[in-house]
Amino acid sequence: MPGMVLFGRRWAIASDDLFFPGLFELFLRALWWVGILALYLRYRGKLDCARGTLLSNYMVVLMVLLAVIICTMMAIVCVSTRGTIFNPAPRKSMATLLYIRLALFLPEIVWASLGAMWVAESTQCDKIVVSAIIVTVVVSWMIIGSTAVTIFVVFDPLGRKVAPYSSAGPTYDPEASQFLSGLRTAAASVWEKRMRLLCCCVERDDQARMAFSSTAELFSTYFSDTDLVPSDLVVGLTLLHQQQDRARSSQPPKEVVSHSPGSSQEDGLDTELENCRHYMPMAAAAYGWPLYIYRNPFTGLCRVGGDCCRSRTTEFDVVGGEQPHCHSGSVLRMTGLQHSDFIHMSFHDKVYELPFLVALDHKKECVVVAVRGTMSLQDILTDLSAETENLELGCEVQDCGAHKGMTQAAKYLYRRLITDGILTQAFSAAPEYRLVVIGHSLGAGAAALLAIMLRGSYPHVRCYAFSPPRGLLSKSLYEYSQDFTVSLVVGKDVVPRLSVTNMEDLKRKILQLIARCNKPKYKVLLHGCWFGLFGGSTDDLPTELDGDDHRDLTLPLLGEQSLLTHKPPGYRSTDSPEGSPTKYPPLYTPGRIIHLEEEGASGRWCYSARYTARWSHESEFSEILIGRKMLTDHFPDVMIKALDRVVSNREACVSCPTPGGSA
């Protein structure tokens, strides 16, 4: 629901968000009250010392004050359970209760201050009593401090600029467009300040300033037209997870296509899977020593430490980064290559400038360029520069739009490889070799764009993009990349499904689910937590209204639209992802896509899953899937293990008999 309005401004918290924090404080206050009561009853006869009467009065008044606070918190918890997410009317008394609760902080602060002063002057009293009262004073100040931090966290800098909530649904004010424009401008300024504060250690050059501006524009565009609080997003994702699981469980099982050695498509899949398994460790090696230690937690630190302390003269160029020998030693261990196989290693890391490796792969007879994925704040800023930028190519491809941040990174890599003569040096050592460009995550997106840029000079270039972002290439560039790019996706990995248009679609679904939800927020969160940890039935999914309430959600979906601060021009509740702002047109995953899908359910706590591999169409990644493994499926080590299992299983099945046939 919309954020609460207190003291004439909107806050980033709703009236049904107070159940869990209120319950927690209620438990602490009740425990505290019982402890003080027991202390008073046990030691009241030992307070005949100087200032003893004051200490006795302190405990009595504190118990009375705590009793009033406990009653207030009980009322807050009770009221927060009423109504539903989109029906705040039963919670209209919450604002009054919060004013009362905040007012009680004044006597609590005064009494905690007096208690601290009296305890300091009561050195002759029983030490146990004095120590216990010191604890109560400290606890008082801790709770007061935590409340101040909470107020700071839920403070919304745009609170005075958000349109007031109306239960009658959206209003069609002729000044709405102007209001929304001003709101987004203010939101962009706020987000830019937040990003600069978060990335205070990032070097402030022109590229960083451009990235801050692009990131702020993205966040303001996505969030400024809704009146949601963070917990609403959590509830929406919880409901969507259950809805998607229910939809999948109701689908008929997919037809299993048996492996046939005579099938050209299957042969191509086997070949590309083997290539992916071969190149993926090199793409992972570009991450350097952090990933090596992550994959080898017991022995990695000792081995990397030895590499860091060892000073050697390398046969290849090592550029940028702190302790480059730590990185280079880890790269050699992860790839299994020799020093003489490497041409160049760059660990230089800035906004739009990614680390990369160039090596000779004698087994595949190719020059490999491996680009590192996201591993720093600078990389995150590159990821979030999601505007569309034209990629200038010397070919007849129309509409060469691509992700701005990754386009800038690809241009940097192109300058380094071509202008600095790195590729010339590599091919002078192995002139008969072909060029292969690889990368993971952000590195996969930059590698795919780099391969497109290099194709004019190297017509036989190949690209293997591991977990590339979906919001990368225009439709024309996506089709152009089909002949020389292969993308690999594991399971529910969120990154190959991540684009501005998909995020807009996700926001629309969240709004619809919240508007249709017929249960209190705390019940949805408890049910969702249980479902996420232990599974269960999705039949009681709380996303359908009862009775005549359905009538209010048609033509248009008023529940969804009243969560908008102002309805953007041309907005419709049934808009598709293609209806996103023109600044962020639909972009697609590069090349042909191999999808490693998990077979069946591996269990809630089991990660040794079995996977099947198949060619997939890019449209299958037009929706963000919510699940436990949506993040872990993106990890390089998970992808390496999945590839090993899939390739091993397929090699073992080459001699297996096909259905109805013989071995």
Side-chain angles (χ1 to χ4, degrees):
M1 63 161 290
M4 291 192 66
V5 177
L6 296 171
F7 303 106
R9 69 173 302 121
R10 177 193 183 273
W11 296 77
I13 189 171
S15 57
D16 52 358
D17 285 342
L18 300 172
F19 176 78
F20 293 108
L23 204 61
F24 180 69
E25 184 179 351
L26 183 61
F27 171 76
L28 290 181
R29 296 281 186 176
L31 193 65
W32 187 10
W33 187 87
V34 171
I36 294 175
L37 178 62
L39 179 70
Y40 176 76
L41 294 177
R42 182 178 178 85
Y43 292 101
R44 60 182 175 179
K46 298 182 180 181
L47 294 174
D48 53 355
C49 56
R51 299 280 182 175
T53 304
L54 291 177
L55 294 181
S56 176
N57 293 337
Y58 171 78
M59 287 189 288
V60 171
V61 174
L62 183 59
M63 283 189 291
V64 173
L65 184 59
L66 283 176
V68 176
I69 293 175
I70 288 172
C71 292
T72 306
M73 293 307 303
M74 289 177 63
I76 289 175
V77 171
C78 180
V79 171
S80 66
T81 63
R82 298 175 182 172
T84 62
I85 297 173
F86 196 68
N87 179 25
R91 301 188 296 273
K92 61 183 179 180
S93 60
M94 182 62 76
T96 303
L97 290 173
L98 286 178
Y99 286 135
I100 295 174
R101 177 65 189 91
L102 291 173
L104 289 173
F105 274 110
L106 181 59
E108 190 173 13
I109 292 173
V110 172
W111 207 241
S113 301
L114 291 175
M117 182 178 64
W118 291 339
V119 166
E121 297 175 355
S122 303
T123 55
Q124 298 178 353
C125 295
D126 189 284
K127 292 183 178 180
I128 297 179
V129 179
V130 173
S131 299
I133 294 178
I134 289 175
V135 171
T136 64
V137 172
V138 171
V139 171
S140 295
W141 282 110
M142 288 176 62
I143 292 180
I144 293 169
S146 63
T147 303
V149 172
T150 302
I151 292 174
F152 175 78
V153 170
V154 301
F155 177 78
D156 185 358
L158 299 173
R160 295 190 181 277
K161 296 180 179 295
V162 175
Y165 169 74
S166 171
S167 60
T171 58
Y172 298 88
D173 191 334
E175 299 180 356
S177 180
Q178 182 179 357
F179 176 88
L180 186 60
S181 176
L183 177 62
R184 283 184 175 168
T185 300
S189 176
V190 168
W191 278 109
E192 186 165 354
K193 291 177 182 177
R194 288 172 174 171
M195 294 305 300
R196 289 180 183 275
L197 180 62
L198 180 65
C199 306
C200 57
C201 57
V202 174
E203 183 179 346
R204 303 298 176 86
D205 54 11
D206 290 339
Q207 289 183 326
R209 283 189 284 271
M210 182 167 58
F212 285 136
S213 178
S214 296
T215 303
E217 182 69 24
L218 173 66
F219 283 137
S220 62
T221 299
Y222 187 75
F223 290 109
S224 64
D225 62 343
T226 61
D227 198 7
L228 298 177
V229 297
S231 62
D232 292 336
L233 300 177
V234 176
V235 168
L237 292 173
T238 300
L239 295 175
L240 185 58
H241 178 201
Q242 297 173 52
Q243 186 187 66
Q244 289 176 345
D245 275 18
R246 183 171 65 177
R248 272 193 301 275
S249 63
S250 63
Q251 289 177 349
K254 293 181 180 179
E255 181 181 356
V256 179
V257 181
S258 62
H259 174 73
S260 173
S263 168
S264 60
Q265 185 177 9
E266 286 292 306
D267 285 344
L269 180 59
D270 285 338
T271 301
E272 297 298 0
L273 279 171
E274 197 280 326
N275 287 335
C276 286
R277 181 170 73 163
H278 176 79
Y279 290 120
M280 181 57 207
M282 298 185 191
Y287 285 95
W289 65 263
L291 182 61
Y292 180 76
I293 293 179
Y294 173 77
R295 295 188 65 194
N296 303 274
F298 300 108
T299 61
L301 189 60
C302 295
R303 293 175 179 175
V304 169
D307 292 328
C308 295
C309 298
R310 189 181 301 117
S311 178
R312 66 162 65 96
T313 303
T314 58
E315 301 174 23
F316 49 86
D317 298 327
V318 182
V319 179
E322 296 181 0
Q323 297 293 334
H325 291 301
C326 302
H327 287 296
S328 59
S330 301
V331 169
L332 293 171
R333 294 178 186 278
M334 284 192 280
T335 60
L337 299 178
Q338 304 299 318
H339 283 84
S340 57
D341 297 331
F342 283 90
I343 304 297
H344 186 86
M345 289 187 186
S346 173
F347 303 108
H348 169 77
D349 188 13
K350 284 181 63 178
V351 178
Y352 302 151
E353 298 179 5
L354 304 179
F356 66 97
L357 316 172
V358 180
L360 300 178
D361 182 2
H362 300 296
K363 181 178 180 180
K364 292 290 185 179
E365 296 187 343
C366 61
V367 175
V368 178
V369 178
V371 187
R372 197 192 74 181
T374 303
M375 208 178 69
S376 67
L377 290 174
Q378 293 92 325
D379 299 335
I380 293 174
L381 289 173
T382 302
D383 282 316
L384 294 176
S385 298
E387 300 170 33
T388 300
E389 182 176 288
N390 250 0
L391 189 66
E392 297 178 2
L393 300 174
C395 59
E396 297 181 355
V397 179
Q398 297 180 347
D399 184 22
C400 296
H403 184 286
K404 175 182 177 179
M406 296 178 199
T407 299
Q408 291 290 328
K411 290 178 178 178
Y412 161 77
L413 294 168
Y414 184 86
R415 289 194 302 269
R416 292 293 314 278
L417 294 173
I418 301 300
T419 306
D420 293 356
I422 297 175
L423 285 185
T424 302
Q425 180 184 353
F427 282 105
S428 65
E432 72 281 4
Y433 282 14
R434 60 192 178 93
L435 179 61
V436 175
V437 185
I438 62 175
H440 174 264
S441 188
L442 168 62
L449 288 166
L450 177 62
I452 293 173
M453 298 171 67
L454 289 170
R455 199 163 190 240
S457 303
Y458 300 90
H460 300 295
V461 64
R462 297 283 297 174
C463 176
Y464 290 91
F466 302 101
S467 298
R470 175 175 172 81
L472 182 65
L473 302 177
S474 65
K475 193 73 171 179
S476 300
L477 282 179
Y478 154 72
E479 294 170 351
Y480 176 70
S481 67
Q482 295 280 304
D483 295 335
F484 57 91
T485 301
V486 172
S487 293
L488 184 74
V489 180
V490 175
K492 293 183 178 181
D493 187 355
V494 66
V495 173
R497 298 173 170 86
L498 201 60
S499 68
V500 176
T501 51
N502 281 10
M503 289 296 291
E504 285 288 332
D505 179 57
L506 178 67
K507 179 173 68 174
R508 179 179 61 84
K509 290 176 180 177
I510 287 176
L511 292 176
Q512 291 178 339
L513 289 171
I514 291 174
R516 288 188 169 102
C517 186
N518 62 354
K519 291 186 179 179
K521 184 179 291 183
Y522 79 96
K523 287 187 177 180
V524 177
L525 293 175
L526 289 175
H527 183 273
C529 183
W530 181 270
F531 181 82
L533 292 174
F534 306 106
S537 173
T538 59
D539 294 337
D540 57 345
L541 186 66
T543 56
E544 296 297 334
L545 293 178
D546 302 321
D548 296 335
D549 289 337
H550 286 285
R551 181 180 62 247
D552 298 331
L553 294 174
T554 59
L555 300 176
L557 182 58
L558 295 180
E560 173 190 345
Q561 293 202 15
S562 55
L563 286 171
L564 297 171
T565 54
H566 269 272
K567 191 180 86 167
Y571 176 87
R572 300 190 309 275
S573 63
T574 56
D575 278 349
S576 65
E578 285 75 9
S580 58
T582 55
K583 198 170 187 178
Y584 305 99
L587 299 176
Y588 303 90
T589 308
R592 295 181 298 158
I593 305 172
I594 299 176
H595 189 198
L596 305 185
E597 292 182 289
E598 190 174 345
E599 287 185 330
S602 62
R604 293 279 155 175
W605 307 104
C606 180
Y607 286 88
S608 57
R610 292 176 57 86
Y611 294 91
T612 57
R614 66 182 182 89
W615 291 108
S616 298
H617 191 265
E618 60 84 20
S619 60
E620 297 181 37
F621 302 92
S622 60
E623 178 187 19
I624 294 176
L625 300 181
I626 309 300
R628 290 180 306 108
K629 296 186 177 182
M630 61 185 293
L631 297 179
T632 56
D633 281 343
H634 186 67
F635 292 174
D637 61 314
V638 172
M639 180 167 284
I640 291 174
K641 292 176 183 177
L643 276 169
D644 286 340
R645 291 172 187 154
V646 167
V647 174
S648 299
N649 291 339
R650 291 179 72 88
E651 288 175 349
C653 280
V654 169
S655 58
C656 294
T658 58
S662 58

